[in-house]
Amino acid sequence: MGKSDSTLTAPSTTGELLDSEFVAPTDKEEGMDDMEKEQSFIQNVSPSESPSPNRKRRKTISTLEGVGVSRSSPNQNDVPSSTNESRGRGEGRTGGREKKNKSKQQDKEDMTWICAECKEADCGLVTKQQTLSDSNNSTDPSNQLSAPEDSFLICDGACHRIFHVPCAGLSKIPDTEDDWLCKDCTRKEHACAFCSQYGSDFVDVFPCQDEICGLFFHESCLQTHHVEYEYDSNDETLSTTAKSTSEDEDLEEEVAKIPLFTCPAHQCWTCTQKDMIQLEKEEEAAQRSQSSSSSAKKNKRKKKKQSIFQSKSGRLFQCLYCPTAYHVTCLPPVSRFHELAVLCHEHAMSHRLPELDMSDSIQSQLEDKADQTFRRIHGIRTGSNKRKKGILSVRGASANPFFPGLRGDRLDSKELEMLRIVKETASVPEATEHESITTVETVSVQSSSTVSMVLDGDLPFCLPVDMKDEVYSKPPPYIHIQSLKYDADKSNRPKKILSTGTEEQEKCSCTKSCSDDCFNRLTMAECTGPANCNLGATDCGNRSLGKRQFVKCQPKRERGKGWGLATLEFIPKGKLVQEYMGEVINEAEKERRLISWNEEHPNDPNFYVMALSGGYYVDAREYANLARFINHSCDPNCKVSSINVKGYIRNGIYSIRDIQPGEFLSYDYHFDTKQGDRFVCRCGAANCRGTMKGHGKDGSTKQPATWKEAKARYDADKKFLEEAEKSRVVSLVDTLLPCAEHPNETIASGPLLKHRREAICSRIFLWRNLKHGSDFVSRNSRLEKKAVVAKTT
Ligand SMILES: C[S@@+](CC[C@H](N)C(=O)[O-])C[C@H]1O[C@@H](n2cnc3c(N)ncnc32)[C@H](O)[C@@H]1O
């Protein structure tokens, strides 16, 4: 655990503005990177609804029923394990079985999946890169993204998690039959589902026994959370193998240390009853028996439109961020959910639900239905009722029977006010955030009867879930301050840089106003008065920080990034937008805070510490102003500059281009950390580096790993493997016994010890599966050898 190598910001005398840098956790904290940790969970509805194991990708349609994704599983060596077998892995590749699995497959394609990385069904990256690739109309296949329906990747490793292709660090779906492994599966390290700390598989963390669960846990965390477990004292595989050796005994000992348990994801937190998998199986069997009939087809179509509210009562819905699961009927009031996901009672306040595509959601379909019924009852004839994607006002007002817009009366003032609020809260953010969304349409607000009925309680009133989210959720609390908060102990404060009014300080020679060529501005200082400004006491134009001339802004949710800050007014280029305010702390205190926060809030991905100068930092977690909400972008509209105001450094955030009202503000965090590439960036910019990590400390312009680099690495590995495969000697034993890769591995002597060990650890007790295990091991060792060769040359 090293020290942060964060570069500190100091006033420059070169006249060049210096970027302040955000402080990411140091190595110590990096080991506990929340972004990374959180990605190890993905919403799981029911094991029986786990995604298609037929590797590459599918998606879509909104049924929560389909959102189920089984998560990580045991040892990485088990890539093609019994887990996969039970889920049909490989069956799609054999012609005969393909048909058999088609209906199952079809259901799986009907799912809406949540990406394990960004926790969204659709993320900014996919949309943006897709648009770019469209607009470039590139003919280079490597530059083209796959079609949207192909934009998910399923990890073929132990975790089976699902990622958007860009979120997985790739530009497109790997065009190969080789397995694709996510970062965790490649490293053979998974985060404990309780504490989110990473550990080595089968050494520090152990998998849930449920064969398609795949969550990992520390033994100590199981104890803390009162999860019962036992040890495997009687391993059948060992006892059935050839003669017992001392190695066998060692192995037995190791195996005996593996805790066996079923994790809390398989039991309702509220009623403690289990998931009714059996119920599922029976129903599937019944469906299969009718599969040829047309009614069955209808049912299948119906199933696509199922939502969380229509699912079977026995099914468990797991929190997006932890193993806590509930039946729909057991969801506690403090939990939050919509048709795609559930946030448990512990994560409901601190985390957000994925965004809903309202044009394709159950919510909107229900509204449509209710709308039609309402029109029918009231004998209202209307034109086309087509919905436009994202136009909440259309849904919220004219198309929703619980809102006005259906009759010919005028609205009264109360109703107008209500409509105004709904329009303001629901429509504006969407309209400004996504360019594709047109501005709010003028709603023909004529009826008063509907609203009256709603207000009188005669009609049920229900705000759509995402609107509720928008209206009711508030940014996390913090104490608002109007200037930097220094330590009470003066010895813990940064030293003053220059005393104003001494001969050390030069006066600027500006005559009209202090603009770009002002001496103070060039030396990154503000004019403060006659002592350093030729214009004296007047507002010369270089005093915005001192005078706190900030832009009017408002916190708003920013897709995939939590809360962001949007400007309410036009900002011309070069203007001060906000000052980054918080508590001024020294290096030791910063380290202490980052570590203890991580320990106490392992699932919080947000960091608020920014370098100030001379070993001091600004921590905006508890005491802050609005600037704490500004998110990172690799193509930002602002930059942070450290400015000397009356001898003290302050971090001003300045616009670097014209910014329109409603636009989200952003600057480049330059997260300065050795493991900065763990901080996945979701800015969606064309030049996105893929992470929030900054450039090298030495000023080198080397970019951190991006999806392009990841792809290049992937291609290089693929080429290497293909060449190695060509030169591979196929031994006689190989042809006789498909699972064998070693001449000593014969049927008589049984599998090699290392394969037995893998089989035991991975719970693969089928002989034929060892082939997959050995393939994986040999592929891995070839890659390792390659890495060693590359290092030595
Ligand atoms: C200073 S906070 C910004 C406000 C924060 N989004 C919130 O909800 O309070 C920095 C955190 O925001 C998130 N964030 C900011 N920019 C991001 C980006 N481009 N992609 C992903 N996450 C981002 C990260 O969790 C980061 O640690």
Side-chain angles (χ1 to χ4, degrees):
M1 270 175 241
K3 206 162 103 46
S4 163
D5 57 355
S6 172
T7 309
L8 304 178
T9 315
S12 157
T13 48
T14 62
E16 195 186 291
L17 294 185
L18 286 177
D19 286 339
S20 268
E21 288 169 351
F22 241 98
V23 179
T26 57
D27 290 354
K28 186 163 186 175
E29 299 104 36
E30 284 159 2
M32 306 180 245
D33 170 11
D34 295 320
M35 301 280 281
E36 187 78 12
K37 287 172 215 158
E38 284 191 15
Q39 78 168 35
S40 51
F41 307 130
I42 187 157
Q43 181 180 6
N44 180 23
V45 177
S46 153
S48 60
E49 289 294 336
S50 55
S52 164
N54 278 348
R55 297 189 302 128
K56 294 136 204 166
R57 14 337 322 200
R58 42 218 35 166
K59 102 166 247 200
T60 178
I61 269 266
S62 313
T63 74
L64 176 70
E65 177 158 282
V67 181
V69 175
S70 92
R71 301 129 310 184
S72 45
S73 78
N75 193 327
Q76 306 310 302
N77 293 343
D78 77 344
V79 174
S81 71
S82 58
T83 300
N84 302 322
E85 172 143 323
S86 71
R87 298 165 59 198
R89 175 183 290 277
E91 288 173 349
R93 293 181 201 156
T94 57
R97 293 184 182 177
E98 220 164 51
K99 245 186 186 171
K100 190 176 153 193
N101 284 321
K102 221 173 168 186
S103 67
K104 225 175 186 179
Q105 193 66 50
Q106 182 62 48
D107 280 352
K108 284 164 185 166
E109 284 173 11
D110 293 341
M111 303 166 181
T112 289
W113 289 351
I114 306 293
C115 169
E117 177 61 43
C118 71
K119 305 275 194 237
E120 294 286 351
D122 298 307
C123 78
L125 282 184
V126 173
T127 323
K128 187 83 182 211
Q129 290 190 7
Q130 187 67 41
T131 317
L132 273 171
S133 119
D134 290 351
S135 66
N136 289 345
N137 198 17
S138 169
T139 47
D140 176 1
S142 65
N143 283 340
Q144 285 170 352
L145 269 185
S146 329
E149 60 272 21
D150 280 340
S151 57
F152 279 112
L153 261 177
I154 304 171
C155 172
D156 288 310
C159 74
H160 311 307
R161 287 174 301 166
I162 293 180
F163 300 87
H164 290 123
V165 175
C167 293
L170 298 170
S171 62
K172 62 171 192 163
I173 290 159
D175 184 21
T176 170
E177 274 304 299
D178 283 350
D179 290 337
W180 176 77
L181 299 182
C182 71
K183 272 192 287 181
D184 292 355
C185 288
T186 310
R187 290 180 192 141
K188 301 179 189 175
E189 284 174 5
H190 285 89
C192 168
F194 279 133
C195 71
S196 304
Q197 305 282 336
Y198 269 81
S200 301
D201 297 353
F202 286 92
V203 178
D204 309 308
V205 288
F206 303 93
C208 166
Q209 254 199 310
D210 186 286
E211 63 175 4
I212 55 169
C213 171
L215 285 184
F216 281 72
F217 298 85
H218 287 119
E219 193 172 347
S220 55
C221 290
L222 292 175
Q223 285 167 2
T224 320
H225 288 81
H226 310 292
V227 177
E228 284 179 14
Y229 63 89
E230 57 185 14
Y231 297 107
D232 193 357
S233 52
N234 185 20
D235 191 275
E236 281 175 25
T237 310
L238 273 182
S239 56
T240 55
T241 54
K243 46 193 174 201
S244 173
T245 63
S246 65
E247 279 179 331
D248 281 345
E249 279 162 20
D250 288 350
L251 185 56
E252 242 173 290
E253 250 176 50
E254 270 177 42
V255 169
K257 283 182 199 156
I258 297 175
L260 303 177
F261 59 94
T262 307
C263 80
H266 310 286
Q267 202 174 27
C268 174
W269 187 86
T270 312
C271 74
T272 69
Q273 295 300 304
K274 295 195 172 159
D275 188 55
M276 293 186 185
I277 300 166
Q278 201 50 41
L279 190 76
E280 292 283 320
K281 283 185 183 160
E282 282 166 17
E283 195 179 84
E284 265 177 32
Q287 269 184 7
R288 266 203 298 276
S289 70
Q290 306 171 0
S291 59
S292 58
S293 76
S294 61
S295 68
K297 279 177 199 158
K298 257 187 210 166
N299 280 343
K300 209 188 281 171
R301 273 203 295 275
K302 239 186 203 168
K303 200 174 175 190
K304 285 186 185 179
K305 304 294 175 196
Q306 277 192 337
S307 83
I308 180 170
F309 313 106
Q310 299 159 312
S311 63
K312 293 172 207 73
S313 55
R315 175 162 294 166
L316 286 177
F317 292 89
Q318 193 201 316
C319 172
L320 197 52
Y321 292 94
C322 75
T324 305
Y326 315 98
H327 295 117
V328 174
T329 45
C330 297
L331 282 160
V334 283
S335 65
R336 283 169 59 222
F337 58 93
H338 57 37
E339 64 189 68
L340 290 184
V342 170
L343 296 181
C344 73
H345 52 284
E346 285 198 348
H347 291 106
M349 297 316 290
S350 52
H351 292 67
R352 59 187 295 268
L353 287 162
E355 289 198 16
L356 268 184
D357 176 357
M358 288 309 292
S359 66
D360 193 25
S361 72
I362 305 298
Q363 176 86 34
S364 62
Q365 289 155 24
L366 291 177
E367 282 170 15
D368 264 344
K369 232 176 190 169
D371 196 17
Q372 283 162 17
T373 314
F374 186 87
R375 285 161 196 249
R376 212 183 49 240
I377 292 169
H378 291 270
I380 299 158
R381 269 185 291 138
T382 52
S384 158
N385 187 28
K386 269 190 190 156
R387 239 171 243 297
K388 284 187 191 164
K389 179 171 175 166
I391 302 181
L392 294 176
S393 63
V394 172
R395 184 199 67 237
S398 60
N400 190 321
F402 307 145
F403 282 93
L406 303 171
R407 290 281 207 73
D409 313 331
R410 283 193 168 277
L411 282 177
D412 62 32
S413 58
K414 196 173 175 185
E415 292 158 354
L416 273 172
E417 178 61 11
M418 182 178 165
L419 190 62
R420 190 187 62 75
I421 292 168
V422 169
K423 278 165 68 179
E424 264 181 23
T425 52
S427 307
V428 176
E430 289 290 316
T432 50
E433 188 181 344
H434 309 293
E435 285 167 16
S436 59
I437 297 167
T438 57
T439 44
V440 183
E441 285 191 346
T442 319
V443 183
S444 51
V445 282
Q446 301 128 2
S447 166
S448 63
S449 57
T450 318
V451 171
S452 310
M453 285 162 80
V454 167
L455 295 177
D456 294 346
D458 295 340
L459 259 186
F461 174 75
C462 167
L463 275 177
V465 179
D466 66 337
M467 215 189 275
K468 269 190 204 161
D469 229 26
E470 195 69 53
V471 174
Y472 295 123
S473 65
K474 289 200 168 53
Y478 66 94
I479 299 167
H480 194 83
I481 51 175
Q482 290 183 344
S483 57
L484 287 173
K485 187 174 184 297
Y486 291 100
D487 197 304
D489 177 357
K490 284 193 178 169
S491 63
N492 272 345
R493 295 181 188 176
K495 303 281 168 286
K496 202 169 180 177
I497 297 169
L498 281 175
S499 310
T500 48
T502 65
E503 60 275 16
E504 291 168 64
Q505 193 176 18
E506 248 181 81
K507 251 189 189 187
C508 72
S509 52
C510 307
T511 48
K512 284 184 183 157
S513 68
C514 296
S515 49
D516 288 347
D517 53 357
C518 167
F519 172 78
N520 287 326
R521 193 174 271 206
L522 289 171
T523 53
M524 302 193 62
E526 280 206 343
C527 299
T528 51
N532 73 344
C533 177
N534 195 34
L535 294 170
T538 54
D539 186 358
C540 60
N542 183 30
R543 300 176 190 203
S544 47
L545 258 182
K547 288 180 174 287
R548 299 195 176 82
Q549 291 166 337
F550 304 141
V551 167
K552 278 191 190 139
C553 301
Q554 191 183 15
K556 281 188 179 161
R557 288 190 177 280
E558 199 174 355
R559 179 178 279 217
K561 301 168 211 156
W563 288 88
L565 192 68
T567 171
L568 294 174
E569 55 184 84
F570 171 77
I571 310 171
K573 182 178 170 182
K575 189 176 178 339
L576 173 72
V577 177
Q578 286 284 334
E579 178 183 352
Y580 196 84
M581 290 181 191
E583 290 175 87
V584 179
I585 52 174
N586 61 23
E587 177 92 36
E589 177 63 7
K590 178 225 35 167
E591 291 283 309
R592 193 195 64 72
R593 286 188 184 192
L594 286 178
I595 292 167
S596 79
W597 185 266
N598 252 316
E599 279 167 8
E600 286 161 30
H601 305 86
N603 288 324
D604 185 354
N606 294 322
F607 295 96
Y608 295 95
V609 180
M610 183 190 276
L612 186 61
S613 94
Y616 286 89
Y617 299 83
V618 182
D619 180 3
R621 184 169 301 276
E622 205 179 335
Y623 293 86
N625 66 349
L626 286 178
R628 84 194 291 270
F629 293 112
I630 303 180
N631 284 319
H632 158 94
S633 172
C634 300
D635 180 19
N637 50 24
C638 297
K639 75 181 285 179
V640 179
S641 301
S642 298
I643 304 293
N644 171 357
V645 186
K646 296 186 181 170
Y648 291 101
I649 294 299
R650 287 160 63 171
N651 284 340
I653 299 164
Y654 295 85
S655 56
I656 52 174
R657 63 163 170 81
D658 288 354
I659 306 173
Q660 300 305 322
E663 266 191 72
F664 279 102
L665 301 170
S666 59
Y667 54 89
D668 196 326
Y669 281 6
H670 295 290
F671 259 151
D672 198 355
T673 160
K674 284 183 195 129
Q675 292 187 25
D677 48 6
R678 284 190 167 210
F679 295 87
V680 174
C681 173
R682 300 191 198 102
C683 71
N687 62 337
C688 178
R689 303 193 295 267
T691 77
M692 292 181 249
K693 187 179 176 182
H695 300 296
K697 200 177 170 183
D698 54 357
S700 70
T701 50
K702 192 181 174 302
Q703 299 270 329
T706 61
W707 55 263
K708 273 187 189 155
E709 286 179 16
K711 185 180 174 299
R713 273 204 302 272
Y714 176 86
D715 287 345
D717 284 349
K718 198 180 139 205
K719 203 171 157 208
F720 170 80
L721 287 175
E722 278 166 3
E723 276 164 14
E725 202 62 37
K726 273 184 217 156
S727 58
R728 190 168 165 239
V729 182
V730 181
S731 72
L732 181 63
V733 183
D734 258 349
T735 53
L736 287 177
L737 183 64
C739 70
E741 65 160 16
H742 192 276
N744 294 338
E745 195 170 24
T746 62
I747 292 173
S749 64
L752 293 179
L753 182 67
K754 66 170 184 169
H755 290 158
R756 289 219 314 272
R757 189 186 287 251
E758 278 149 23
I760 291 159
C761 291
S762 315
R763 315 231 172 287
I764 309 170
F765 299 120
L766 286 178
W767 181 254
R768 65 174 176 275
N769 287 335
L770 288 178
K771 169 77 171 85
H772 298 302
S774 68
D775 279 354
F776 178 76
V777 173
S778 53
R779 207 168 36 240
N780 240 15
S781 63
R782 285 200 300 277
L783 276 174
E784 272 160 21
K785 267 183 218 154
K786 180 195 165 190
V788 173
V789 172
K791 228 177 184 181
T792 48
T793 54

